[in-house]
Amino acid sequence: MHPAPSVIIFTTLSGLGFGLLAFLGLDPTPPTGWAAFAFFFVGYALSVGGLLASAFHLAHPERALLAFSQWRTSWLSREAVVAVAALSVTGIYAAALIFVGFHINWLGWIGAALTLLAVFTTSMIYAQLATVPRWKTPLTPLLFLSFSITGGALLSGRVDLSIGLLVFTALMQILWWVRGDRAFAQSGTTLATATGLGDGGTLRSLAPPHSSPNYLMREFVHVVGRRHARKLRVISLLLMAVLPIGLLALPFSHGFAILAVLSHVAGVATSRWLFFAEAEHVVGLYYGMR
Amino acid sequence: MTDLPTETTRKLGLVIDLDTCVGCHACAISCKGWNTENYGAPLSDQAPYGDAPSGTFLNRIHSYEVLPEDGPAQTVHFPKSCLHCENAPCVTVCPTGASYKRAEDGIVLVNEDACIGCGLCAWACPYGAREMDAAEGVMKKCTLCVDRIYNENLPEEDRTPACVRTCPSGARHFGDLGDPESDVSQLVEKRGGFDLMPEQGTAPVNKYLPPRSRDSWNEESVLAPFLEPVAEDTRGFLSWLDRALDKLPGGSD
């Protein structure tokens, strides 16, 4: 799959922002006043910034309101509805903390549930696609939720919890990669099932339909990016988990904590780039490519 | 609504005969022509006379080589367009309701005025049947020439999809695959028509007919006895040359 920067930025940042908002909602003693403003500002900047990045990658953003209508069948529509609900509920909760210093406990819980639900709906957009066997697994929502919760713990400054979650997320990521590497073969879709010509003998693509690449090949066949996939996986794990754990294990300082967050975000973004670049769409089979 | 109809009254679709398709691409050309001049946004081209021409097509023709364990390789031309699936994954993923499957005839269509160009339907289609038009930013797909098949302004023989009308080898057939008595259903029954990627669970309406088996190297030709060499021995100049060359050192094959 083509790793579109807008989608990588959106899913990485919004996951992180929603994670932070979830922790702020669950906090029994949340910050108030200006401190609350700072925390919620970061949470909203990340999640709304991500949503805007995704809206601008649409060819017709002026029709975006229609995307709230098909929640009965479409995970993308559900994402839009849940994300707006999460931001609205959390917005009221945040306003009460910032301006009145009043903690509406139950509203925070609802907001946290909705923000995590928003991350879940994002992940299901990918996990629902039978056409991309690497994505079609319950591990995909688990991975997205681990990233979001871990990022939220880091951003809200929970050091001990963060270390545990970083270890968990790294293991989750490794599990997702190991399963993903076998997924295409296990899906059972081959050039033989794609053409129905397998009984006749060995198949190969003799001539593509056109002499130069088309939309389908640009969107679904991304071979170049996989060349350094192994190295990038190691880099991603180092940045996402190993380095932040090391920084957090040192005596606490705000400088190290910020470095840990930045390193984690860079690692997650690398992982998200691989999430798309390594994903093989079954339509590539028709072109003799993956 | 992107809910799929539980049942469609008819299942209009195509039957494509891989045995008779000659790979001329006439179906792709006539499709591009009709669908650029009629319903919906035109099918644009980008740099059609440039180094890397690219454009939107609703129908593309692949060519495959089938190499049996013994015998010569066979070339199979393989036209591919929307299969108007009964369980169309492209429809249910659409966030705006632009994609829909018609209850009356099963045709899968896009309402271009509601399409935001997110591209998710193309991701959900295993067949590569949907292409985003680079000029209009809306998703394009085969309409089964919905503006021809019901068009009473056209002569009756033209009320069939452009690809079917133009195919010079009769490799494309159009009809109601929901009616077991229809010509297309009978053809599928007789020739062993099959689904593409059945494991994807899309239940495509369009069917493909397999290529018939070809001659093999080992088969004895019925004409062979009549084609035996008339003369076993050489005579005259060639015979002399043959003997003279045999006498030279070095032997013969």
Side-chain angles (χ1 to χ4, degrees):
Chain A
M1 303 293 289
H2 170 66
S6 59
V7 176
I8 294 171
I9 293 169
F10 155 59
T11 56
T12 306
L13 295 188
S14 71
L16 199 68
F18 280 134
L20 174 59
L21 293 179
F23 271 99
L24 292 171
L26 295 174
D27 198 337
T29 52
T32 51
W34 280 107
F37 176 79
F39 273 108
F40 281 106
F41 178 80
V42 173
Y44 272 85
L46 291 171
S47 52
V48 177
L51 286 174
L52 286 179
S54 78
F56 282 120
H57 109 118
L58 298 174
H60 284 282
E62 76 280 8
R63 299 171 187 159
L65 280 180
L66 287 169
F68 292 90
S69 65
Q70 303 301 311
W71 48 270
R72 286 196 305 176
T73 65
S74 168
W75 280 106
L76 183 51
S77 185
R78 287 171 196 163
E79 182 199 37
V81 172
V82 176
V84 168
L87 292 173
S88 310
V89 170
T90 308
I92 300 168
Y93 171 76
L97 282 173
I98 295 168
F99 299 113
V100 200
F102 184 62
H103 180 212
I104 316 172
N105 201 1
W106 57 272
L107 197 63
W109 281 77
I110 295 174
L114 285 171
T115 50
L116 292 181
L117 195 61
V119 176
F120 175 74
T121 54
T122 304
S123 67
M124 282 307 292
I125 293 168
Y126 307 105
Q128 69 176 330
L129 295 173
T131 49
V132 185
R134 192 183 282 275
W135 291 350
K136 190 168 173 45
T137 162
L139 290 177
T140 300
L142 281 176
L143 182 69
F144 274 57
L145 282 168
S146 334
F147 281 146
S148 178
I149 294 170
T150 308
L154 266 175
L155 279 177
S156 60
R158 289 167 169 76
V159 176
D160 294 339
L161 184 63
S162 294
I163 293 177
L165 284 169
L166 284 167
V167 173
F168 176 79
T169 302
L171 292 175
M172 201 68 212
Q173 174 71 82
I174 292 167
L175 184 65
W176 192 87
W177 278 331
V178 170
R179 185 239 160 234
D181 288 343
R182 290 194 298 257
F184 203 97
Q186 280 175 352
S187 76
T189 299
T190 60
L191 183 55
T193 70
T195 59
L197 297 170
D199 292 342
T202 319
L203 285 174
R204 75 180 175 110
S205 170
L206 199 60
H210 289 82
S211 54
S212 55
N214 57 40
Y215 166 76
L216 300 168
M217 295 167 77
R218 286 190 293 268
E219 188 77 0
F220 301 122
V221 184
H222 186 81
V223 183
V224 185
R226 296 185 207 134
R227 215 173 279 152
H228 302 296
R230 300 274 154 189
K231 283 180 207 165
L232 282 170
R233 283 184 183 185
V234 174
I235 291 171
S236 167
L237 274 181
L238 287 174
L239 290 173
M240 175 205 307
V242 179
L243 194 59
I245 291 172
L247 287 167
L248 291 179
L250 293 169
F252 183 80
S253 90
H254 281 287
F256 286 155
I258 289 169
L259 274 180
V261 169
L262 291 178
S263 168
H264 176 73
V265 175
V268 174
T270 311
S271 156
R272 199 52 52 82
W273 190 85
L274 285 169
F275 180 84
F276 289 97
E278 282 195 288
E280 307 105 329
H281 193 287
V282 293
V283 80
L285 291 168
Y286 285 109
Y287 290 87
M289 296 181 215
R290 288 254 298 267
Chain B
M1 262 294 174
T2 51
D3 283 328
L4 288 168
T6 46
E7 209 178 324
T8 59
T9 320
R10 293 187 298 157
K11 295 174 187 172
L12 295 186
L14 301 175
V15 174
I16 294 166
D17 191 344
L18 298 178
D19 192 66
T20 43
C21 175
V22 294
C24 70
H25 292 234
C27 51
I29 302 305
S30 64
C31 168
K32 179 107 172 174
W34 179 266
N35 287 294
T36 291
E37 294 152 10
N38 294 282
Y39 170 90
L43 304 175
S44 69
D45 288 315
Q46 281 66 47
Y49 304 102
D51 288 342
S54 181
T56 313
F57 285 80
L58 310 184
N59 182 13
R60 291 183 184 266
I61 297 92
H62 296 255
S63 296
Y64 297 104
E65 179 193 76
V66 187
L67 184 64
E69 287 203 6
D70 50 347
Q74 191 180 344
T75 302
V76 179
H77 301 292
F78 194 95
K80 186 164 57 61
S81 52
C82 173
L83 308 173
H84 298 279
C85 302
E86 286 180 62
N87 188 17
C90 55
V91 170
T92 51
V93 299
C94 175
T96 66
S99 279
Y100 60 105
K101 183 172 175 70
R102 308 209 312 176
E104 64 268 35
D105 52 17
I107 300 178
V108 176
L109 290 174
V110 176
N111 171 9
E112 292 172 4
D113 293 336
C115 177
I116 53 174
C118 69
L120 190 57
C121 54
W123 290 21
C125 172
Y127 308 108
R130 288 173 168 249
E131 298 190 17
M132 180 102 74
D133 189 86
E136 293 286 333
V138 293
M139 198 52 76
K140 299 298 295 185
K141 69 175 294 301
C142 162
T143 66
L144 213 58
C145 282
V146 70
D147 50 351
R148 286 175 68 98
I149 59 177
Y150 298 116
N151 191 338
E152 290 180 1
N153 296 317
L154 295 176
E156 190 147 359
E157 65 268 28
D158 283 337
R159 290 178 212 162
T160 182
C163 57
V164 175
R165 185 77 181 97
T166 205
C167 179
S169 66
R172 304 178 72 92
H173 307 270
F174 165 71
D176 180 9
L177 286 142
D179 170 12
E181 299 306 315
S182 69
D183 287 350
V184 280
S185 295
Q186 293 290 314
L187 193 60
V188 169
E189 176 77 25
K190 210 174 292 173
R191 292 277 309 282
F194 58 83
D195 290 347
L196 304 186
M197 293 188 191
E199 72 284 353
Q200 287 273 335
T202 51
V205 168
N206 285 14
K207 304 288 179 215
Y208 283 75
L209 306 180
R212 294 182 175 94
S213 59
R214 294 286 191 269
D215 299 344
S216 83
W217 292 129
N218 308 322
E219 237 164 65
E220 195 68 43
S221 164
V222 289
L223 293 174
F226 303 102
L227 294 172
E228 275 173 34
V230 181
E232 292 290 337
D233 307 319
T234 48
R235 272 180 290 180
F237 172 73
L238 280 178
S239 174
W240 171 82
L241 185 66
D242 193 29
R243 277 180 280 120
L245 287 171
D246 270 346
K247 282 175 191 161
L248 289 173
S252 63
D253 291 329

